[in-house]
Amino acid sequence: MQSIVIEGGKRLSGDVKISGAKNSALPILCASLLAPGEHVVSNVPELQDVITMGRLLENLGAGVQSSDGVFHIDTENLAKDEAPYELVKTMRASVLVLGPLVARLGSARVSLPGGCAIGARPINLHLAGLRDMGAEVEIEHGYVVAKAKRLKGARIYLDTPTVTGTENLMMAATLAEGRTVLENAACEPEVTDLAACLSSMGAKITGAGTDTVRIEGVSELRPMKYSVMPDRIETGTYLAAGAITGGDVRITGCEPAHSAALLTKLRECGFEIEKGPGWIRLKGCDRPRAVDIKTLPYPGFPTDMQAQFMALMCVADGLSVITETVFENRFMHIAELKRMGADIKVQGNAAVVQGAENIFGAPVMATDLRASASLVIAALAAKGSSEISRVYHLDRGYERMEEKLRGIGARIKRVG
Ligand code: EPZ
Protein backbone atom coordinates (compact mmCIF):
# COMPACT_ATOMS: atom_id res chain seq x y z
CA MET A 1 0.00 0.00 0.00
CA GLN A 2 1.50 3.37 -0.98
CA SER A 3 2.02 6.38 1.30
CA ILE A 4 2.89 10.01 0.80
CA VAL A 5 5.66 11.62 2.86
CA ILE A 6 5.62 15.40 3.33
CA GLU A 7 8.24 17.60 5.02
CA GLY A 8 6.20 20.57 6.28
CA GLY A 9 7.00 24.24 6.86
CA LYS A 10 7.78 25.37 3.30
CA ARG A 11 5.95 28.39 1.83
CA LEU A 12 4.40 27.34 -1.49
CA SER A 13 4.60 29.71 -4.43
CA GLY A 14 4.04 29.49 -8.16
CA ASP A 15 1.37 28.36 -10.61
CA VAL A 16 -0.84 25.27 -10.43
CA LYS A 17 -2.87 24.23 -13.51
CA ILE A 18 -6.26 22.75 -12.74
CA SER A 19 -7.50 19.53 -14.37
CA GLY A 20 -10.98 18.68 -15.62
CA ALA A 21 -13.67 18.23 -12.97
CA LYS A 22 -14.04 14.65 -11.70
CA ASN A 23 -17.69 15.21 -10.76
CA SER A 24 -18.48 16.59 -14.18
CA ALA A 25 -16.49 14.04 -16.21
CA LEU A 26 -18.23 11.08 -14.54
CA PRO A 27 -21.84 11.98 -15.52
CA ILE A 28 -20.68 13.21 -18.94
CA LEU A 29 -19.02 9.86 -19.69
CA CYS A 30 -22.34 8.19 -18.75
CA ALA A 31 -24.24 10.52 -21.10
CA SER A 32 -22.47 8.77 -24.01
CA LEU A 33 -24.86 5.85 -23.40
CA LEU A 34 -27.78 8.01 -24.54
CA ALA A 35 -26.77 8.23 -28.21
CA PRO A 36 -25.30 5.49 -30.44
CA GLY A 37 -22.07 6.49 -32.18
CA GLU A 38 -18.59 7.88 -31.58
CA HIS A 39 -18.33 10.35 -28.69
CA VAL A 40 -15.26 12.49 -27.91
CA VAL A 41 -14.81 13.87 -24.38
CA SER A 42 -11.75 16.02 -23.68
CA ASN A 43 -10.14 17.55 -20.57
CA VAL A 44 -10.98 14.35 -18.68
CA PRO A 45 -8.79 14.04 -15.55
CA GLU A 46 -6.66 10.90 -15.26
CA LEU A 47 -8.13 9.55 -12.01
CA GLN A 48 -8.94 6.14 -10.61
CA ASP A 49 -12.67 6.93 -10.63
CA VAL A 50 -12.50 7.84 -14.32
CA ILE A 51 -10.65 4.61 -15.12
CA THR A 52 -13.36 2.70 -13.24
CA MET A 53 -16.08 4.50 -15.20
CA GLY A 54 -14.32 3.60 -18.47
CA ARG A 55 -14.30 -0.05 -17.40
CA LEU A 56 -17.99 0.15 -16.55
CA LEU A 57 -18.84 1.52 -20.00
CA GLU A 58 -16.75 -1.25 -21.62
CA ASN A 59 -18.61 -3.78 -19.48
CA LEU A 60 -21.83 -2.48 -21.06
CA GLY A 61 -20.42 -3.05 -24.54
CA ALA A 62 -19.03 0.39 -25.35
CA GLY A 63 -15.63 0.78 -26.99
CA VAL A 64 -13.44 3.06 -24.86
CA GLN A 65 -10.07 4.50 -25.93
CA SER A 66 -8.32 7.26 -23.98
CA SER A 67 -5.06 9.16 -24.19
CA ASP A 68 -3.89 12.50 -22.77
CA GLY A 69 -7.24 13.19 -21.18
CA VAL A 70 -9.27 12.62 -24.35
CA PHE A 71 -11.83 9.79 -24.31
CA HIS A 72 -13.21 8.23 -27.52
CA ILE A 73 -16.31 6.24 -26.64
CA ASP A 74 -18.23 4.14 -29.17
CA THR A 75 -21.70 3.30 -27.89
CA GLU A 76 -23.11 2.06 -31.21
CA ASN A 77 -23.74 -1.44 -29.89
CA LEU A 78 -24.45 -1.81 -26.19
CA ALA A 79 -24.36 -5.48 -25.23
CA LYS A 80 -25.57 -5.38 -21.63
CA ASP A 81 -27.72 -3.30 -19.31
CA GLU A 82 -25.93 -4.33 -16.12
CA ALA A 83 -23.55 -2.45 -13.81
CA PRO A 84 -22.09 -5.21 -11.64
CA TYR A 85 -21.44 -5.03 -7.88
CA GLU A 86 -17.67 -5.54 -8.37
CA LEU A 87 -17.45 -2.19 -10.17
CA VAL A 88 -20.19 -0.24 -8.40
CA LYS A 89 -18.80 -1.06 -4.92
CA THR A 90 -15.57 0.77 -5.81
CA MET A 91 -17.33 3.86 -7.13
CA ARG A 92 -20.80 5.10 -6.16
CA ALA A 93 -20.99 7.35 -9.20
CA SER A 94 -21.60 4.16 -11.22
CA VAL A 95 -25.25 4.75 -10.34
CA LEU A 96 -25.16 7.45 -13.05
CA VAL A 97 -25.55 4.77 -15.76
CA LEU A 98 -29.04 3.99 -14.45
CA GLY A 99 -30.95 6.85 -16.08
CA PRO A 100 -29.15 6.64 -19.45
CA LEU A 101 -29.59 2.84 -19.69
CA VAL A 102 -33.33 2.95 -18.99
CA ALA A 103 -33.72 5.79 -21.48
CA ARG A 104 -31.63 4.13 -24.22
CA LEU A 105 -32.36 0.40 -23.74
CA GLY A 106 -35.61 0.41 -21.73
CA SER A 107 -33.98 -1.56 -18.93
CA ALA A 108 -31.13 -1.45 -16.43
CA ARG A 109 -29.73 -3.68 -13.70
CA VAL A 110 -27.45 -1.62 -11.47
CA SER A 111 -25.96 -2.79 -8.20
CA LEU A 112 -27.06 -0.70 -5.26
CA PRO A 113 -24.01 1.33 -4.22
CA GLY A 114 -22.88 0.03 -0.85
CA GLY A 115 -22.32 2.17 2.21
CA CYS A 116 -19.78 4.92 2.11
CA ALA A 117 -17.38 6.32 4.69
CA ILE A 118 -19.04 9.74 4.72
CA GLY A 119 -22.64 8.67 5.04
CA ALA A 120 -25.47 6.28 4.10
CA ARG A 121 -25.88 8.06 0.76
CA PRO A 122 -29.16 6.42 -0.31
CA ILE A 123 -30.41 6.70 -3.90
CA ASN A 124 -34.11 6.67 -3.07
CA LEU A 125 -34.69 9.97 -4.89
CA HIS A 126 -33.08 8.64 -8.08
CA LEU A 127 -35.47 5.66 -7.99
CA ALA A 128 -38.57 7.68 -7.03
CA GLY A 129 -37.93 10.00 -9.98
CA LEU A 130 -37.67 7.09 -12.42
CA ARG A 131 -40.94 5.67 -11.04
CA ASP A 132 -42.54 9.10 -11.53
CA MET A 133 -41.48 8.79 -15.17
CA GLY A 134 -43.27 5.44 -15.47
CA ALA A 135 -40.41 3.00 -14.91
CA GLU A 136 -40.98 -0.20 -12.95
CA VAL A 137 -38.21 -0.19 -10.36
CA GLU A 138 -37.57 -3.12 -8.01
CA ILE A 139 -34.70 -4.03 -5.70
CA GLU A 140 -33.63 -7.63 -6.29
CA HIS A 141 -30.68 -9.25 -4.48
CA GLY A 142 -28.87 -5.95 -4.01
CA TYR A 143 -29.55 -4.71 -7.53
CA VAL A 144 -31.83 -1.98 -8.84
CA VAL A 145 -33.85 -3.54 -11.66
CA ALA A 146 -35.59 -0.86 -13.75
CA LYS A 147 -37.76 -1.28 -16.84
CA ALA A 148 -39.71 1.13 -19.07
CA LYS A 149 -40.80 0.76 -22.70
CA ARG A 150 -40.42 4.52 -22.97
CA LEU A 151 -40.14 6.93 -20.05
CA LYS A 152 -42.81 9.62 -19.81
CA GLY A 153 -42.12 13.20 -18.82
CA ALA A 154 -43.18 14.01 -15.24
CA ARG A 155 -43.04 16.74 -12.64
CA ILE A 156 -40.55 15.46 -10.05
CA TYR A 157 -39.94 17.10 -6.66
CA LEU A 158 -36.59 16.18 -5.07
CA ASP A 159 -36.70 16.12 -1.23
CA THR A 160 -33.02 17.08 -1.17
CA PRO A 161 -31.21 18.80 -4.06
CA THR A 162 -29.26 15.60 -4.84
CA VAL A 163 -26.46 16.22 -7.35
CA THR A 164 -26.26 12.80 -9.00
CA GLY A 165 -30.01 12.37 -8.55
CA THR A 166 -30.58 15.54 -10.60
CA GLU A 167 -28.04 14.33 -13.17
CA ASN A 168 -29.51 10.82 -13.45
CA LEU A 169 -33.05 12.09 -13.93
CA MET A 170 -32.01 14.89 -16.30
CA MET A 171 -30.27 12.32 -18.53
CA ALA A 172 -33.26 9.94 -18.37
CA ALA A 173 -35.65 12.78 -19.26
CA THR A 174 -33.80 13.76 -22.46
CA LEU A 175 -35.31 10.77 -24.30
CA ALA A 176 -38.63 10.60 -22.44
CA GLU A 177 -41.97 11.33 -24.09
CA GLY A 178 -43.01 14.86 -23.18
CA ARG A 179 -41.79 17.38 -20.64
CA THR A 180 -40.06 16.67 -17.33
CA VAL A 181 -39.69 19.31 -14.62
CA LEU A 182 -37.17 18.68 -11.83
CA GLU A 183 -38.10 20.79 -8.79
CA ASN A 184 -35.64 21.47 -5.97
CA ALA A 185 -32.93 20.33 -8.39
CA ALA A 186 -29.23 20.63 -7.54
CA CYS A 187 -27.62 23.85 -8.85
CA GLU A 188 -23.99 22.65 -8.80
CA PRO A 189 -21.80 23.72 -11.76
CA GLU A 190 -21.33 20.03 -12.58
CA VAL A 191 -25.10 19.81 -13.27
CA THR A 192 -24.83 22.85 -15.56
CA ASP A 193 -21.84 21.34 -17.36
CA LEU A 194 -23.74 18.07 -17.94
CA ALA A 195 -26.76 20.02 -19.23
CA ALA A 196 -24.54 21.91 -21.68
CA CYS A 197 -23.09 18.59 -22.85
CA LEU A 198 -26.57 17.06 -23.29
CA SER A 199 -27.75 20.17 -25.18
CA SER A 200 -24.78 19.77 -27.55
CA MET A 201 -26.16 16.28 -28.23
CA GLY A 202 -29.54 17.73 -29.17
CA ALA A 203 -31.31 17.62 -25.79
CA LYS A 204 -33.78 20.39 -24.96
CA ILE A 205 -32.96 21.58 -21.42
CA THR A 206 -33.66 24.91 -19.71
CA GLY A 207 -33.04 26.05 -16.14
CA ALA A 208 -29.88 24.01 -15.45
CA GLY A 209 -28.03 25.69 -12.57
CA THR A 210 -31.31 26.75 -10.96
CA ASP A 211 -33.58 24.74 -8.65
CA THR A 212 -36.05 24.09 -11.49
CA VAL A 213 -34.83 22.25 -14.58
CA ARG A 214 -37.14 21.64 -17.58
CA ILE A 215 -36.38 18.93 -20.13
CA GLU A 216 -38.41 18.42 -23.33
CA GLY A 217 -37.94 14.80 -24.39
CA VAL A 218 -36.70 14.11 -27.92
CA SER A 219 -36.71 10.88 -29.92
CA GLU A 220 -32.96 10.63 -30.33
CA LEU A 221 -29.68 12.36 -29.51
CA ARG A 222 -26.42 12.64 -31.44
CA PRO A 223 -22.90 11.80 -30.23
CA MET A 224 -21.05 14.49 -28.25
CA LYS A 225 -17.78 16.33 -28.78
CA TYR A 226 -17.37 18.01 -25.41
CA SER A 227 -14.71 19.40 -23.10
CA VAL A 228 -15.16 19.00 -19.33
CA MET A 229 -15.15 22.12 -17.14
CA PRO A 230 -12.30 22.72 -14.63
CA ASP A 231 -12.47 21.16 -11.17
CA ARG A 232 -13.62 23.66 -8.54
CA ILE A 233 -12.74 21.35 -5.63
CA GLU A 234 -9.22 20.79 -6.92
CA THR A 235 -9.02 24.59 -7.27
CA GLY A 236 -10.06 25.05 -3.63
CA THR A 237 -7.70 22.35 -2.46
CA TYR A 238 -4.62 24.06 -3.94
CA LEU A 239 -5.78 27.45 -2.67
CA ALA A 240 -5.96 25.94 0.82
CA ALA A 241 -2.48 24.45 0.35
CA GLY A 242 -1.07 27.86 -0.57
CA ALA A 243 -3.00 29.52 2.25
CA ILE A 244 -1.87 27.22 5.07
CA THR A 245 1.81 27.72 4.15
CA GLY A 246 1.46 31.52 3.95
CA GLY A 247 2.51 31.23 0.34
CA ASP A 248 1.72 32.98 -2.93
CA VAL A 249 0.01 30.64 -5.41
CA ARG A 250 -1.77 31.27 -8.69
CA ILE A 251 -4.34 28.73 -9.86
CA THR A 252 -4.64 28.64 -13.65
CA GLY A 253 -7.15 26.96 -15.97
CA CYS A 254 -9.92 27.35 -13.36
CA GLU A 255 -13.33 29.04 -13.24
CA PRO A 256 -13.26 31.62 -10.37
CA ALA A 257 -17.07 32.04 -10.44
CA HIS A 258 -17.44 28.42 -9.24
CA SER A 259 -15.45 29.17 -6.07
CA ALA A 260 -17.23 32.32 -4.85
CA ALA A 261 -18.18 30.97 -1.41
CA LEU A 262 -14.65 29.71 -0.71
CA LEU A 263 -13.00 32.93 -1.91
CA THR A 264 -15.27 34.95 0.38
CA LYS A 265 -14.20 32.83 3.35
CA LEU A 266 -10.50 33.02 2.44
CA ARG A 267 -10.76 36.82 2.29
CA GLU A 268 -12.45 36.79 5.73
CA CYS A 269 -9.40 34.84 6.96
CA GLY A 270 -7.22 37.73 5.81
CA PHE A 271 -5.81 36.33 2.58
CA GLU A 272 -5.41 38.62 -0.41
CA ILE A 273 -7.28 37.19 -3.38
CA GLU A 274 -6.94 38.42 -6.96
CA LYS A 275 -8.79 36.82 -9.86
CA GLY A 276 -9.21 37.11 -13.59
CA PRO A 277 -10.40 35.05 -16.55
CA GLY A 278 -9.34 31.48 -15.75
CA TRP A 279 -7.08 32.31 -12.79
CA ILE A 280 -7.09 33.02 -9.05
CA ARG A 281 -4.11 34.27 -7.04
CA LEU A 282 -3.87 33.89 -3.27
CA LYS A 283 -1.26 35.77 -1.25
CA GLY A 284 -0.67 34.36 2.21
CA CYS A 285 -0.84 36.24 5.48
CA ASP A 286 1.17 35.52 8.64
CA ARG A 287 -1.63 33.67 10.34
CA PRO A 288 -5.25 33.30 9.11
CA ARG A 289 -8.07 34.62 11.26
CA ALA A 290 -10.45 31.90 12.48
CA VAL A 291 -13.66 31.86 10.43
CA ASP A 292 -16.89 29.86 10.78
CA ILE A 293 -18.23 27.85 7.83
CA LYS A 294 -21.41 25.89 7.21
CA THR A 295 -21.57 23.50 4.25
CA LEU A 296 -24.60 23.90 1.99
CA PRO A 297 -25.72 22.91 -1.50
CA TYR A 298 -24.32 25.19 -4.23
CA PRO A 299 -23.84 28.14 -4.23
CA GLY A 300 -23.20 27.63 -0.50
CA PHE A 301 -19.84 26.54 0.90
CA PRO A 302 -19.13 23.12 -0.69
CA THR A 303 -19.10 20.05 1.55
CA ASP A 304 -16.23 18.75 -0.60
CA MET A 305 -14.07 21.62 0.74
CA GLN A 306 -15.02 21.19 4.42
CA ALA A 307 -12.14 18.91 5.39
CA GLN A 308 -9.56 21.01 3.55
CA PHE A 309 -10.79 24.24 5.16
CA MET A 310 -10.77 22.59 8.58
CA ALA A 311 -7.07 21.82 8.14
CA LEU A 312 -6.48 25.52 7.53
CA MET A 313 -8.47 26.48 10.64
CA CYS A 314 -6.26 24.17 12.74
CA VAL A 315 -3.53 26.84 12.55
CA ALA A 316 -5.83 29.91 12.53
CA ASP A 317 -5.81 32.63 15.15
CA GLY A 318 -8.96 31.97 17.19
CA LEU A 319 -11.89 29.60 17.36
CA SER A 320 -13.75 28.35 14.27
CA VAL A 321 -17.06 26.48 14.13
CA ILE A 322 -17.38 24.16 11.13
CA THR A 323 -20.89 22.82 10.50
CA GLU A 324 -21.47 19.96 8.06
CA THR A 325 -25.08 19.90 6.88
CA VAL A 326 -24.88 17.69 3.77
CA PHE A 327 -23.43 14.37 4.97
CA GLU A 328 -23.90 12.76 8.36
CA ASN A 329 -20.40 11.38 8.85
CA ARG A 330 -17.89 13.64 7.19
CA PHE A 331 -15.59 14.26 10.15
CA MET A 332 -13.26 11.26 9.85
CA HIS A 333 -10.30 13.56 9.18
CA ILE A 334 -10.65 15.05 12.69
CA ALA A 335 -9.11 12.10 14.56
CA GLU A 336 -6.09 12.23 12.24
CA LEU A 337 -5.73 16.03 12.45
CA LYS A 338 -5.77 15.71 16.26
CA ARG A 339 -2.84 13.31 16.03
CA MET A 340 -0.96 16.24 14.45
CA GLY A 341 -1.74 18.42 17.46
CA ALA A 342 -4.97 20.05 16.27
CA ASP A 343 -7.46 21.10 18.96
CA ILE A 344 -10.91 20.05 17.66
CA LYS A 345 -14.07 19.12 19.55
CA VAL A 346 -17.09 17.57 17.78
CA GLN A 347 -20.58 18.54 18.88
CA GLY A 348 -23.16 16.82 16.68
CA ASN A 349 -22.68 18.04 13.11
CA ALA A 350 -20.40 20.86 14.22
CA ALA A 351 -16.66 20.78 14.85
CA VAL A 352 -15.18 23.47 17.11
CA VAL A 353 -11.58 24.16 16.09
CA GLN A 354 -9.28 26.10 18.42
CA GLY A 355 -6.48 27.29 16.16
CA ALA A 356 -2.94 26.41 17.33
CA GLU A 357 0.35 28.21 16.68
CA ASN A 358 1.78 24.97 15.35
CA ILE A 359 0.77 21.49 14.33
CA PHE A 360 3.28 18.66 14.07
CA GLY A 361 4.18 16.02 11.52
CA ALA A 362 2.89 12.50 12.31
CA PRO A 363 2.01 9.20 10.64
CA VAL A 364 -1.69 9.54 9.67
CA MET A 365 -4.22 7.54 7.66
CA ALA A 366 -6.51 8.70 4.85
CA THR A 367 -10.12 7.54 5.21
CA ASP A 368 -11.86 9.10 2.22
CA LEU A 369 -11.04 11.32 -0.72
CA ARG A 370 -11.38 14.79 0.77
CA ALA A 371 -10.16 13.72 4.22
CA SER A 372 -6.91 12.63 2.56
CA ALA A 373 -6.60 16.07 0.91
CA SER A 374 -7.12 17.63 4.33
CA LEU A 375 -4.22 15.62 5.76
CA VAL A 376 -1.95 16.66 2.89
CA ILE A 377 -2.78 20.32 3.54
CA ALA A 378 -2.13 19.97 7.28
CA ALA A 379 1.16 18.15 6.63
CA LEU A 380 2.35 21.00 4.38
CA ALA A 381 2.21 23.37 7.38
CA ALA A 382 3.16 20.88 10.11
CA LYS A 383 6.53 21.06 11.80
CA GLY A 384 8.48 17.98 10.77
CA SER A 385 7.63 15.03 8.58
CA SER A 386 4.23 13.34 8.03
CA GLU A 387 3.47 10.04 6.35
CA ILE A 388 -0.07 9.69 4.96
CA SER A 389 -1.08 6.06 4.33
CA ARG A 390 -3.89 4.69 2.13
CA VAL A 391 -3.26 7.35 -0.50
CA TYR A 392 -5.39 5.39 -2.95
CA HIS A 393 -8.17 7.59 -1.61
CA LEU A 394 -6.28 10.62 -2.93
CA ASP A 395 -5.76 9.03 -6.35
CA ARG A 396 -9.51 8.78 -6.82
CA GLY A 397 -9.89 12.54 -7.10
CA TYR A 398 -6.58 14.33 -7.61
CA GLU A 399 -4.59 14.10 -10.83
CA ARG A 400 -0.78 14.10 -10.30
CA MET A 401 -1.07 15.80 -6.88
CA GLU A 402 2.57 15.27 -5.84
CA GLU A 403 3.81 16.68 -9.14
CA LYS A 404 1.54 19.75 -8.86
CA LEU A 405 2.56 20.39 -5.24
CA ARG A 406 6.28 19.84 -5.98
CA GLY A 407 5.87 22.37 -8.77
CA ILE A 408 5.10 25.06 -6.17
CA GLY A 409 7.84 24.02 -3.77
CA ALA A 410 6.35 21.29 -1.58
CA ARG A 411 8.73 18.66 -0.17
CA ILE A 412 6.56 15.65 -1.01
CA LYS A 413 7.20 12.13 -2.27
CA ARG A 414 5.31 8.87 -2.70
CA VAL A 415 6.75 5.77 -1.06
CA GLY A 416 5.92 2.05 -1.11
C1 EPZ B 1 -22.18 14.36 -5.30
O1 EPZ B 1 -22.49 13.19 -4.58
C2 EPZ B 1 -20.66 14.38 -5.43
N1 EPZ B 1 -20.23 13.20 -6.18
C3 EPZ B 1 -20.03 14.38 -4.03
O2 EPZ B 1 -18.63 14.50 -4.20
C4 EPZ B 1 -20.54 15.63 -3.29
O3 EPZ B 1 -20.01 15.62 -1.98
C5 EPZ B 1 -22.06 15.61 -3.24
O4 EPZ B 1 -22.60 15.53 -4.58
C6 EPZ B 1 -22.64 16.86 -2.58
O5 EPZ B 1 -22.19 18.00 -3.25
C7 EPZ B 1 -20.36 13.19 -7.52
O6 EPZ B 1 -20.85 14.13 -8.13
C8 EPZ B 1 -19.86 11.97 -8.24
P1 EPZ B 1 -26.06 14.05 -3.12
P2 EPZ B 1 -24.03 12.70 -4.48
O7 EPZ B 1 -26.94 13.05 -3.76
O8 EPZ B 1 -24.77 13.09 -5.68
C9 EPZ B 1 -28.94 12.70 0.35
C10 EPZ B 1 -16.39 13.97 -3.81
O9 EPZ B 1 -15.70 14.13 -2.80
N2 EPZ B 1 -29.63 11.90 -0.68
O10 EPZ B 1 -26.12 15.47 -3.57
O11 EPZ B 1 -24.01 11.27 -4.07
C11 EPZ B 1 -27.55 12.15 0.66
O12 EPZ B 1 -27.61 11.15 1.63
C12 EPZ B 1 -17.79 13.43 -3.70
O13 EPZ B 1 -16.02 14.26 -4.98
C13 EPZ B 1 -30.77 11.19 -0.33
O14 EPZ B 1 -31.22 11.21 0.82
O15 EPZ B 1 -24.55 13.57 -3.26
C14 EPZ B 1 -26.81 13.38 1.15
O16 EPZ B 1 -27.07 13.54 2.53
C15 EPZ B 1 -18.12 13.02 -2.28
N3 EPZ B 1 -31.40 10.45 -1.29
C16 EPZ B 1 -27.46 14.53 0.37
O17 EPZ B 1 -28.69 14.01 -0.18
C17 EPZ B 1 -30.94 10.38 -2.58
O18 EPZ B 1 -31.56 9.69 -3.41
C18 EPZ B 1 -26.63 15.04 -0.77
O19 EPZ B 1 -26.27 13.93 -1.55
C19 EPZ B 1 -29.77 11.09 -2.91
C20 EPZ B 1 -29.14 11.85 -1.94
Side-chain angles (χ1 to χ4, degrees):
M1 197 146 346
Q2 293 187 322
S3 297
I4 278 184
V5 176
I6 294 175
E7 198 61 41
K10 182 99 173 351
R11 279 175 186 267
L12 302 185
S13 65
D15 288 6
V16 181
K17 180 154 182 350
I18 294 303
S19 304
K22 168 177 85 81
N23 291 347
S24 186
L26 294 174
I28 285 172
L29 291 173
C30 293
S32 66
L33 296 168
L34 289 165
E38 286 265 341
H39 302 257
V40 182
V41 190
S42 51
N43 199 33
V44 179
E46 290 176 37
L47 303 170
Q48 189 52 50
D49 274 7
V50 167
I51 293 166
T52 304
M53 186 59 84
R55 281 207 201 106
L56 179 55
L57 294 176
E58 284 177 327
N59 189 63
L60 294 168
V64 180
Q65 305 286 334
S66 66
S67 67
D68 297 335
V70 180
F71 270 65
H72 292 264
I73 308 166
D74 180 348
T75 57
E76 189 65 36
N77 304 304
L78 296 181
K80 287 166 68 177
D81 67 354
E82 177 173 330
Y85 176 66
E86 298 69 45
L87 282 173
V88 176
K89 72 179 178 185
T90 64
M91 184 186 61
R92 320 178 42 72
S94 308
V95 73
L96 284 164
V97 301
L98 181 60
L101 284 175
V102 178
R104 165 85 184 273
L105 300 178
S107 69
R109 194 165 177 279
V110 176
S111 169
L112 272 170
C116 167
I118 63 177
R121 301 184 72 182
I123 59 167
N124 59 308
L125 300 177
H126 301 232
L127 307 187
L130 286 174
R131 289 190 180 107
D132 290 345
M133 296 171 79
E136 278 173 41
V137 181
E138 302 297 340
I139 306 293
E140 292 170 12
H141 307 292
Y143 277 74
V144 175
V145 180
K147 291 188 179 61
K149 269 181 79 61
R150 188 181 181 193
L151 292 167
K152 292 194 176 23
R155 179 174 287 276
I156 299 170
Y157 173 74
L158 296 166
D159 275 352
T160 60
T162 160
V163 175
T164 49
T166 300
E167 292 165 345
N168 231 337
L169 296 171
M170 188 163 70
M171 288 190 281
T174 58
L175 292 175
E177 187 180 344
R179 166 183 290 189
T180 296
V181 180
L182 301 180
E183 292 182 330
N184 196 31
C187 305
E188 271 68 8
E190 292 76 18
V191 172
T192 308
D193 204 26
L194 173 63
C197 171
L198 292 168
S199 301
S200 77
M201 296 167 70
K204 295 189 177 358
I205 302 174
T206 55
T210 76
D211 62 5
T212 305
V213 182
R214 288 180 178 77
I215 306 106
E216 298 294 344
V218 295
S219 54
E220 62 180 12
L221 293 171
R222 55 182 177 269
M224 73 178 86
K225 282 190 180 9
Y226 195 77
S227 181
V228 173
M229 75 177 198
D231 194 316
R232 62 191 170 100
I233 305 302
E234 188 193 17
T235 298
T237 302
Y238 288 111
L239 284 171
I244 201 169
T245 62
D248 180 350
V249 295
R250 196 167 74 113
I251 312 295
T252 62
C254 67
E255 175 43 77
H258 292 165
S259 298
L262 174 68
L263 296 182
T264 300
K265 287 296 174 181
L266 289 172
R267 285 195 182 100
E268 274 180 40
C269 291
F271 296 103
E272 193 186 324
I273 304 278
E274 294 166 31
K275 58 189 170 72
W279 63 270
I280 300 170
R281 183 176 179 184
L282 175 141
K283 288 184 187 163
C285 54
D286 287 344
R287 190 169 173 208
R289 286 191 289 271
V291 159
D292 296 345
I293 62 162
K294 180 178 187 180
T295 66
L296 287 168
Y298 192 87
F301 190 95
T303 175
D304 291 351
M305 276 300 303
Q306 179 257 106
Q308 299 92 311
F309 197 84
M310 186 183 291
L312 179 60
M313 290 297 97
C314 289
V315 296
D317 181 7
L319 186 136
S320 157
V321 179
I322 294 179
T323 309
E324 172 58 58
T325 71
V326 177
F327 289 110
E328 64 269 29
N329 187 34
R330 202 168 198 176
F331 282 158
M332 263 105 34
H333 41 288
I334 289 178
E336 299 304 300
L337 290 170
K338 289 171 79 165
R339 301 190 60 249
M340 300 173 81
D343 177 353
I344 308 172
K345 292 182 181 58
V346 176
Q347 290 162 3
N349 69 340
V352 180
V353 185
Q354 178 63 55
E357 282 272 350
N358 294 301
I359 53 176
F360 302 91
V364 288
M365 186 175 77
T367 50
D368 62 86
L369 169 56
R370 305 305 174 182
S372 50
S374 162
L375 298 177
V376 168
I377 289 165
L380 289 166
K383 291 215 171 307
S385 174
S386 301
E387 179 161 352
I388 301 164
S389 58
R390 301 192 179 183
V391 283
Y392 58 84
H393 288 293
L394 211 56
D395 297 336
R396 294 191 50 185
Y398 291 95
E399 186 180 49
R400 300 193 314 276
M401 181 177 246
E402 297 105 275
E403 183 186 316
K404 293 190 180 186
L405 284 173
R406 254 198 301 277
I408 49 176
R411 293 173 298 211
I412 180 171
K413 65 177 187 264
R414 185 176 289 238
V415 296

